[in-house]
Amino acid sequence: MVTIQRAIETTGVSTILVTVDPGQTRAARPPRGLHPEGFPIGESLGRPGEREVQRRVLHDALSLLVRYPEEPGSLVTRRYR
């Protein structure tokens, strides 16, 4: 996934990775990433039906477009539950 992100970024389009596996994500060094702490695999935006949590995760992910991390591999961790 990170390889695709980097290719997209070279065209001038910013990308964000939302991940539940921060260790693997840090190693891959995506342009920018968000780790919603405690979310299981398959629920990186929240459980089905948790609309308010999903909105908050998406809001936080999109806010990363405004302030770019210092270097690739920077990962913001947030707790939602």
Side-chain angles (χ1 to χ4, degrees), residues 20-54:
V20 295
D21 188 350
Q24 187 175 34
T25 300
R26 279 191 190 95
R29 299 174 52 82
R32 63 199 59 75
L34 174 67
H35 168 231
E37 190 174 47
F39 284 25
I41 292 174
E43 295 180 1
S44 56
L45 295 179
R47 292 183 191 116
E50 285 187 327
R51 291 181 187 244
E52 187 54 37
V53 171
Q54 293 168 351

Side-chain angles (χ1 to χ4, degrees), residues 2-3 6-7 9-10 20 24 29-31 33-34 40-41 46 51 53 57 60 65 68-69 75 77-78:
V2 173
T3 303
R6 287 191 185 124
E9 293 259 345
T10 64
V20 295
Q24 187 175 34
R29 299 174 52 82
L34 174 67
I41 292 174
R51 291 181 187 244
V53 171
V57 172
D60 289 349
L65 294 174
Y68 289 79
L75 187 62
T77 298
R78 294 257 161 69

Side-chain angles (χ1 to χ4, degrees), residues 15-19 32-37 39 44-45 51-69 74-81:
T15 63
I16 307 154
L17 177 65
V18 178
T19 180
R32 63 199 59 75
L34 174 67
H35 168 231
E37 190 174 47
F39 284 25
S44 56
L45 295 179
R51 291 181 187 244
E52 187 54 37
V53 171
Q54 293 168 351
R55 281 188 192 106
R56 289 178 26 222
V57 172
L58 286 172
H59 178 270
D60 289 349
L62 292 171
S63 74
L64 295 177
L65 294 174
V66 176
R67 58 191 155 101
Y68 289 79
S74 295
L75 187 62
V76 175
T77 298
R78 294 257 161 69
R79 180 167 281 289
Y80 296 93
R81 298 186 187 129

